[in-house]
Amino acid sequence: MRTWIFQGNPEIFDIDGYLHDAVDEISWLVNAYHRDVDVGDTVYIWKAQGREKEKAGIVAECEVLEQPRLQPNDPAALRFWRDEEKRGVAIRVRMKLLRVANKKEALKRDWLSDDSVLHNLLILRRPAGTNFSVTDGEAARLKVLWSKIGQDWKRDEVVAALHLYASIWDKPISKTVGSPVERFSQRLGRVSTGVYNKLMNLRSIDPRDERKGLPGGSAIDREVWAEFFDIAKNDIDQQRLNHEYERLWESLKSPEASEFSFDEEISRLEEKSFDQLMDAYRSGKIVRKPRREEVQQLVYERRPLVIAITRKRAGYFCEVEGCPSPTFVTDGGAKFVEVHHLTPLSQGGEDIIENTVCLCPTHHREIHHGKMRERLTSLLRAKRTFAD
């Protein structure tokens, strides 16, 4: 599967209006790469900067439903065109709309320009056009940023930010490509501007620094600061901070090196029967708390056995009752479905089959980002309780 960026110009098309009104599917012009775009590909919708000076950037995520073909415009889009010539028959692609960003969640152009992985995005280097290819490395980074943007910082992230702040607090703080802030943002899975702002939040709390910080930090910021700042010494307790940082962010191994073997192990396990997998699950040591690894971003080690059992238990279908999403077959010959932890591993969830369900990509994103995520989680948790 490939990843693409499709651009829209708000001067000739009301992108916000179209995305806001769209229920499930949208269509988009394909002026380039129409022979390369394929079913299942990921597409990020890019809103160019208009006269209102709103920042350009990624505002939505879609999944390609069919190969691009000559077809009339989407009737739902007609009233949003400001350019009459664009309304007719053209090569377009139908896509499932997975997520539309609110103002806090849009990935702004400036943020991507400051990123060592993304600053060479084709749309940044040659912005004229509608369709832009994305490399595998850029796609991986975009996926991480898109999943994190708009989310509140958690304690482990603030501890890591404080650790960085303590090492550079008396030096100029920059977010340029290659700076400590930007390099840290790669490991954390956040944009460098967000990391920079978090350091400025910490500076506003720091009684040692008279320079102006950025007020409005979170309660977690203040709690973490109070935890590691020694008032009597008027200094950060570096030893305690280092110990906690190492505990939370210990480096174990590179997922890039193990990704193939991880998927290979899942495939090997899925060749066994469900009863055989359950026997192995019950007889083996149950690792309830997953290990954490620091590489380009914080990731949690998941057990292939848990994933294999969860997929087989669900028959490789989404476990949301009445899910209308079609399934497709992967290169390996299996139906594609994603495994979700009802209580996220990042929030202390256990890597056990009682905490997992199978979801289609659409419901997986909805349970993370949609308005119905709490109700979906509650229904699936009840289903898991009664099923197990």
Side-chain angles (χ1 to χ4, degrees):
M1 300 301 174
R2 298 186 61 177
T3 298
W4 309 89
I5 291 177
F6 288 0
Q7 179 172 220
N9 184 346
E11 297 302 314
I12 62 176
F13 183 70
D14 182 2
I15 300 170
D16 293 333
Y18 183 45
L19 294 177
H20 181 269
D21 276 15
V23 176
D24 189 39
E25 295 182 11
I26 64 172
S27 71
W28 211 267
L29 285 169
V30 182
N31 296 325
Y33 303 106
H34 62 273
R35 290 186 178 88
D36 301 314
V37 176
D38 204 354
V39 177
D41 284 357
T42 296
V43 173
Y44 292 106
I45 301 299
W46 182 283
K47 179 181 175 183
Q49 182 168 313
R51 293 175 185 171
E52 301 300 321
K53 300 300 180 183
E54 185 177 352
K55 297 291 185 180
I58 292 172
V59 295
E61 178 191 11
C62 303
E63 178 187 329
V64 175
L65 293 175
E66 64 174 10
Q67 291 182 323
R69 59 182 174 84
L70 200 64
Q71 57 183 297
N73 209 330
D74 177 7
L78 293 176
R79 66 190 181 95
F80 296 107
W81 281 103
R82 299 184 175 113
D83 185 338
E84 295 287 340
E85 295 182 359
K86 301 291 185 180
R87 296 188 179 190
V89 175
I91 296 179
R92 305 177 192 276
V93 64
R94 287 194 312 113
M95 301 184 292
K96 179 180 287 291
L97 186 60
L98 300 178
R99 176 186 168 197
V100 178
N102 59 35
K103 289 186 177 181
K104 287 179 60 179
E105 295 171 341
L107 280 175
K108 297 179 182 177
R109 182 189 189 281
D110 294 347
W111 297 347
L112 308 186
S113 298
D114 290 336
D115 191 281
S116 59
V117 174
L118 301 173
H119 72 284
N120 279 323
L121 277 168
L122 188 57
I123 195 170
L124 299 180
R125 292 186 284 116
R126 299 200 298 271
T130 304
N131 317 106
F132 302 84
S133 61
V134 175
T135 68
D136 290 344
E138 292 166 345
R141 177 66 172 157
L142 282 174
K143 182 178 180 180
V144 171
L145 294 182
W146 185 244
S147 68
K148 280 284 193 88
I149 194 67
Q151 291 188 12
D152 293 337
W153 285 57
K154 296 180 172 58
R155 180 184 178 276
D156 56 358
E157 294 178 305
V158 178
V159 169
L162 180 59
H163 188 266
L164 173 65
Y165 175 81
S167 69
I168 62 174
W169 76 275
D170 57 345
K171 303 178 181 68
I173 299 178
S174 168
K175 58 181 179 179
T176 57
V177 172
S179 66
V181 170
E182 195 274 331
R183 293 198 303 271
F184 176 76
S185 75
Q186 294 292 329
R187 298 196 300 271
L188 197 63
R190 290 190 177 268
V191 296
S192 58
T193 297
V195 173
Y196 176 87
N197 290 344
K198 184 56 62 178
L199 298 185
M200 292 299 101
N201 291 149
L202 294 172
R203 176 184 283 180
S204 71
I205 302 172
D206 192 347
R208 305 166 302 170
D209 201 326
E210 296 181 355
R211 291 172 295 179
K212 186 177 180 180
L214 187 64
S218 68
I220 293 293
D221 297 344
R222 292 185 286 274
E223 289 173 9
V224 170
W225 181 270
E227 183 179 353
F228 295 101
F229 188 76
D230 189 326
I231 297 177
K233 295 181 178 178
N234 195 39
D235 201 0
I236 291 173
D237 188 334
Q238 194 66 55
Q239 184 174 355
R240 288 184 60 243
L241 178 59
N242 289 345
H243 182 270
E244 182 67 356
Y245 175 78
E246 291 169 5
R247 185 184 74 82
L248 293 172
W249 293 82
E250 60 183 359
S251 180
L252 296 175
K253 62 182 179 180
S254 170
E256 288 86 0
S258 62
E259 182 177 355
F260 178 76
S261 61
F262 182 79
D263 291 338
E264 191 177 55
E265 174 67 4
I266 294 173
S267 297
R268 185 189 68 79
L269 288 168
E270 288 178 327
E271 292 176 359
K272 298 180 181 295
S273 70
F274 183 76
D275 289 340
Q276 287 175 318
L277 292 177
M278 286 303 298
D279 287 342
Y281 181 80
R282 295 188 186 103
S283 63
K285 178 183 178 182
I286 298 181
V287 182
R288 306 182 74 89
K289 296 293 184 180
R291 292 186 296 172
R292 294 191 280 191
E293 309 169 1
E294 182 193 1
V295 283
Q296 285 190 329
Q297 67 271 350
L298 183 64
V299 294
Y300 290 79
E301 183 185 54
R302 298 172 303 151
R303 288 187 298 154
L305 183 58
V306 171
I307 294 174
I309 290 174
T310 303
R311 288 177 176 175
K312 275 185 169 287
R313 179 178 60 190
Y316 297 88
F317 284 101
C318 179
E319 294 190 76
V320 173
E321 190 167 349
C323 173
S325 296
T327 59
F328 63 89
V329 178
T330 67
D331 291 337
K335 291 179 181 178
F336 182 82
V337 70
E338 298 176 345
V339 173
H340 170 73
H341 288 81
L342 294 168
T343 300
L345 303 181
S346 61
Q347 297 176 18
E350 298 172 345
D351 191 30
I352 54 176
I353 59 174
E354 293 84 359
N355 189 39
T356 56
V357 293
C358 277
L359 297 175
C360 67
T362 300
H363 277 123
H364 199 179
R365 286 165 176 79
E366 183 176 11
I367 208 167
H368 279 287
H369 308 291
K371 292 181 180 179
M372 296 289 290
R373 58 181 176 268
E374 291 185 4
R375 175 165 174 73
L376 277 175
T377 298
S378 178
L379 290 172
L380 288 166
R381 201 183 297 281
K383 180 184 183 75
R384 187 79 303 125
T385 300
F386 289 117
D388 299 324

